[in-house]
Amino acid sequence: MTSSVRTVEAAPDQSTESQYNFAYLDEQTKRMIRRAILKGIAIPGYQVPFASREMPMPYGWGTGGVQVTAAILGQEDTLKVIDQGSDDTTNAVSIRSFFEKTAGVKTTTATADASIIQTRHRIPEASLREDQIIVFQVPIPEPLRFLEPRETETRTMHALKEYGLMHVKLYEDIARNGRIATTYAYPVEVNDRYVMDPSPTPKFDNPKIDEMAALQLYGAGREKRIYAIPPFTKVKSLDFDDHPFEVQKFERPCGLCGAANVYLDEVILDDKGGRMFVCSDTDYCEERREAGHLGDMAADPAAVSLTTSTAGQDAS
Amino acid sequence: MSDMMNDEPLLRVSEITKLYGNRIGCQNVDFELWPGEVLAVVGESGSGKSTLLNCLSTRLEPTSGMIEYRMRDGVFRNLYKLTEAERRLLMRTDWGFVHQNPADGLRLAVSAGANVGERLMAVGQRHYGQIRDTATDWLERVEIAADRIDDNPRAFSGGMRQRLQIARNLVTHPRLIFMDEPTGGLDVSVQARLLDMLRRLVADLGLAVIIVTHDLAVARLLSHRIVVMRHGNVIETGLTDQVLDDPREPYTQLLVSSILQV
Ligand SMILES: [Zn+2]
């Protein structure tokens, strides 16, 4: 903290939280990040370098996404934060309380009520709207790095649209596994131009980012890159003619709410091998149950305890 | 690729000079290379042959002079006036480069099949089965068993790696291949097999080749024409058999006699 910020803290009617600028970052830093975001929106899928700041949390916690959210957040916004589809994991709870504390904005777990959704590892099942923004926390933004570690070379490849190497990666996947076994961070081509890593979301979510109504912003803190997909942009998952892209399929619907065609997590119920598959998007599952949809495990005592414990869970 | 214009050279090299400060890399090199022709550039280390190879293959811009290449559309282009995109496309389609150390020309992190298939994917092939069939075919043409297609080149012997590097270059049917001491790191018996295979492939495919070697036996076996370099200058050039059987320059005579003694 600089001394000038401490004077603000000393004002009598300020709570201790107001030692921070709104949403923690100073206005100059936010402007710099907004410029990077605007450039990213203008060139869909292109990785824009930015002067990433230290945040009061470890890099692995999504500091890139946090900085993007801090730069776009307004006082009227309502923020939702999810990790692995859940609002209640430690990472999600910490980031949500960080913004409650530093920006005093409203937060929510309901996808429909959020104006900004910050996420790691999932995209909500409910379709997002034009008046919403989704912010992704990205660990490694460069999809070509797997086969080409040299930064100068990957930059040239992007500039010249030389993306054969992405298919070498997929070729290798099929040669080893008999099919494209990549399930996370599945590479996409954005707007017929830049190949992009959609961050460690499951490929199940790739179709959602194609022609999505909401603005998508991606922030990589450690790697100092921001990229974006504007609303209603074509996003194509890379594949081969004879091995077309396909999403994961689940054999049965969610055990709690009966939803089909959603991404499911396996949950262990007891130490006797009891298990069930439930929506990874906890908000979606709860809303369906409230609306009266019940899965085949909904009445199981172990499953019931699971829903009540997650609903009431706090940061651990 | 049928070459309809065999009455024109593929490569025109005019007055190429490369200076490193005031030290001469190579100077005033002039020659033409014709489709299907194998040209050996020989000399001792420090003779300028590697500098020349790097200039010709667009890896090192010459200080002066011009190198023109007849593109697949029949138009001669100054290689150092190509855009970066054109240059890189040329290098991975119509050209090949075989390094002395196969590790410099292979991706050791992926399978043999992916190494051969990379150029196909780079030019837009998107059918896994067809890419694999083509890769299998090329592996067999360089005498690598088809069932090694999914193996990593790290598991290959030096000779196999070198043959894999060659297959990886040839898969797009290039018209011109640069080779830098391609048999350099190999045992003598492995060298002989590789040279036989190279000679057969070059003839079958009608490839033009510029091969840099210090080994006159390699030049004799593979090349039609030879360029002898010393201190950055071309001191003698002509048909390989003529130059090696009846060298005019004293320095070439020395080179030839030293190989005969070995
Ligand atoms: Zn559910």
Side-chain angles (χ1 to χ4, degrees):
Chain A
M1 288 304 113
T2 63
S3 55
S4 63
V5 176
R6 290 213 179 270
T7 8
V8 177
E9 187 192 4
D13 59 345
Q14 299 286 321
S15 65
T16 51
E17 283 81 43
S18 59
Q19 62 185 288
Y20 305 106
N21 192 26
F22 177 77
Y24 185 78
L25 292 177
D26 62 86
E27 292 307 308
Q28 200 184 339
T29 299
K30 287 191 218 167
R31 276 197 295 276
M32 176 271 293
I33 294 172
R34 287 176 201 141
R35 278 196 295 273
I37 291 171
L38 287 171
K39 186 169 178 184
I41 294 169
I43 316 170
Y46 171 73
Q47 298 167 48
V48 183
F50 81 111
S52 180
R53 293 290 195 263
E54 292 279 341
M55 297 300 282
M57 58 188 77
Y59 272 124
W61 280 50
T63 56
V66 170
Q67 290 177 76
V68 168
T69 297
I72 62 170
L73 199 62
Q75 265 148 3
E76 304 305 310
D77 275 309
T78 303
L79 180 68
K80 171 182 165 78
V81 183
I82 50 172
D83 176 24
Q84 307 279 7
S86 165
D87 300 82
D88 301 317
T89 59
T90 310
N91 182 275
V93 170
S94 303
I95 292 172
R96 190 165 60 235
S97 63
F98 173 79
F99 283 114
E100 282 168 351
K101 200 169 147 193
T102 60
V105 292
K106 277 183 291 182
T107 58
T108 182
T109 57
T111 300
D113 295 343
S115 58
I116 297 173
I117 299 161
Q118 180 169 332
T119 182
R120 176 166 82 162
H121 298 306
R122 276 311 312 281
I123 295 171
E125 303 292 357
S127 295
L128 301 185
R129 302 181 311 261
E130 283 178 65
D131 61 346
Q132 294 178 305
I133 299 174
I134 183 164
V135 177
F136 295 81
Q137 303 167 203
V138 180
I140 299 170
E142 180 48 73
L144 294 162
R145 187 168 302 163
F146 169 77
L147 286 174
E148 183 49 75
R150 289 171 298 171
E151 173 83 21
T152 49
E153 182 66 9
T154 55
R155 227 179 287 166
T156 305
M157 289 167 150
H158 282 295
L160 300 178
K161 207 184 171 190
E162 285 181 5
Y163 290 128
L165 219 47
M166 289 314 310
H167 277 86
V168 171
K169 183 174 185 286
L170 296 178
Y171 171 98
E172 201 64 3
D173 217 1
I174 302 172
R176 284 188 192 160
N177 303 293
R179 66 200 161 81
I180 299 178
T182 301
T183 50
Y184 286 86
Y186 191 105
V188 294
E189 182 188 69
V190 180
N191 200 29
D192 297 319
R193 180 58 183 84
Y194 285 96
V195 164
M196 188 196 97
D197 183 336
S199 88
T201 47
K203 67 176 177 180
F204 182 89
D205 286 338
N206 275 24
K208 293 181 183 145
I209 65 177
D210 177 31
E211 302 287 345
M212 183 187 269
L215 170 63
Q216 304 169 51
L217 302 176
Y218 296 77
R222 189 177 42 222
E223 304 255 346
K224 303 179 170 57
R225 291 288 185 279
I226 284 172
Y227 48 104
I229 302 179
F232 304 108
T233 300
K234 178 179 165 193
V235 178
K236 187 188 177 309
S237 300
L238 301 183
D239 61 4
F240 285 101
D241 299 344
D242 50 341
H243 285 268
F245 172 79
E246 47 188 36
V247 299
Q248 295 100 319
K249 290 195 179 66
F250 297 91
E251 283 171 18
R252 48 194 151 170
C254 170
L256 293 175
C257 76
N261 305 317
V262 295
Y263 193 79
L264 302 179
D265 285 335
E266 186 179 358
V267 178
I268 307 296
L269 292 175
D270 52 42
D271 52 8
K272 298 187 247 347
R275 57 195 196 122
M276 68 188 296
F277 287 87
V278 299
C279 294
S280 103
D281 183 340
T282 51
D283 170 62
Y284 184 77
C285 199
E286 271 170 44
E287 285 196 3
R288 278 182 54 87
R289 292 200 305 274
E290 277 162 23
H293 299 280
L294 288 179
D296 58 2
M297 296 286 281
D300 188 289
V304 171
S305 74
L306 184 84
T307 60
T308 48
S309 72
T310 36
Q313 194 183 30
D314 208 346
S316 49
Chain B
M1 297 302 116
S2 70
D3 203 322
M4 302 294 287
M5 303 164 89
N6 279 351
D7 55 341
E8 279 193 288
L10 198 57
L11 192 72
R12 285 201 294 239
V13 181
S14 320
E15 297 289 311
I16 286 299
T17 295
K18 174 65 192 178
L19 302 175
Y20 301 101
N22 51 13
R23 195 169 63 79
I24 293 165
C26 62
Q27 77 180 340
N28 297 329
V29 179
D30 261 308
F31 68 87
E32 289 181 338
L33 183 76
W34 294 75
E37 184 180 31
V38 180
L39 178 77
V41 179
V42 303
E44 295 172 298
S45 92
S47 63
K49 60 187 193 303
S50 296
T51 296
L52 177 61
L53 182 74
N54 287 332
C55 287
L56 298 174
S57 58
T58 72
R59 280 147 201 268
L60 181 67
E61 186 161 5
T63 309
S64 61
M66 186 160 69
I67 306 166
E68 294 167 293
Y69 180 72
R70 179 156 55 80
M71 308 293 275
R72 285 190 181 185
D73 62 4
V75 177
F76 278 95
R77 298 285 304 277
N78 181 333
L79 289 179
Y80 286 91
K81 296 274 167 65
L82 296 177
T83 64
E84 178 74 353
E86 289 173 323
R87 189 182 74 83
R88 289 169 66 106
L89 181 68
L90 178 69
M91 289 180 76
R92 64 168 187 263
T93 53
D94 210 21
W95 283 9
F97 196 107
V98 177
H99 297 264
Q100 173 171 3
N101 179 359
D104 295 338
L106 292 173
R107 286 193 194 279
L108 295 180
V110 297
S111 65
N115 267 283
V116 179
E118 179 174 345
R119 277 176 167 228
L120 299 174
M121 293 180 253
V123 296
Q125 282 205 27
R126 293 293 177 262
H127 192 284
Y128 174 82
Q130 285 168 10
I131 292 164
R132 202 169 166 80
D133 288 348
T134 309
T136 305
D137 182 44
W138 276 102
L139 288 178
E140 284 171 345
R141 290 173 85 162
V142 298
E143 299 165 13
I144 294 174
D147 65 3
R148 304 298 303 269
I149 189 168
D150 293 331
D151 290 355
N152 192 285
R154 286 199 180 99
F156 287 6
S157 67
M160 276 175 81
R161 284 191 194 184
Q162 195 56 295
R163 283 179 274 134
L164 179 63
Q165 189 191 183
I166 290 161
R168 172 177 158 88
N169 274 282
L170 295 182
V171 68
T172 49
H173 299 280
R175 293 184 300 163
L176 173 59
I177 305 282
F178 299 97
M179 296 185 187
D180 183 12
E181 306 273 10
T183 58
L186 303 173
D187 293 342
V188 177
S189 62
V190 179
Q191 278 188 23
R193 182 178 172 195
L194 185 72
L195 284 170
D196 275 349
M197 195 199 78
L198 272 178
R199 190 161 63 161
R200 180 172 46 75
L201 282 172
V202 164
D204 287 354
L205 300 166
L207 290 172
V209 178
I210 294 177
I211 180 170
V212 161
T213 179
H214 69 283
D215 186 340
L216 296 187
V218 170
R220 164 113 52 195
L221 202 64
L222 285 182
S223 71
H224 307 115
R225 259 196 320 144
I226 196 166
V227 164
V228 183
M229 292 190 73
R230 188 188 190 200
H231 298 156
N233 293 287
V234 173
I235 59 161
E236 184 161 0
T237 179
L239 295 175
T240 301
D241 288 342
Q242 267 175 26
V243 171
L244 294 184
D245 291 342
D246 187 18
R248 282 180 291 116
E249 292 294 320
Y251 176 75
T252 313
Q253 289 164 6
L254 201 68
L255 277 183
V256 170
S257 62
S258 65
I259 181 112
L260 290 178
Q261 282 164 12
V262 174

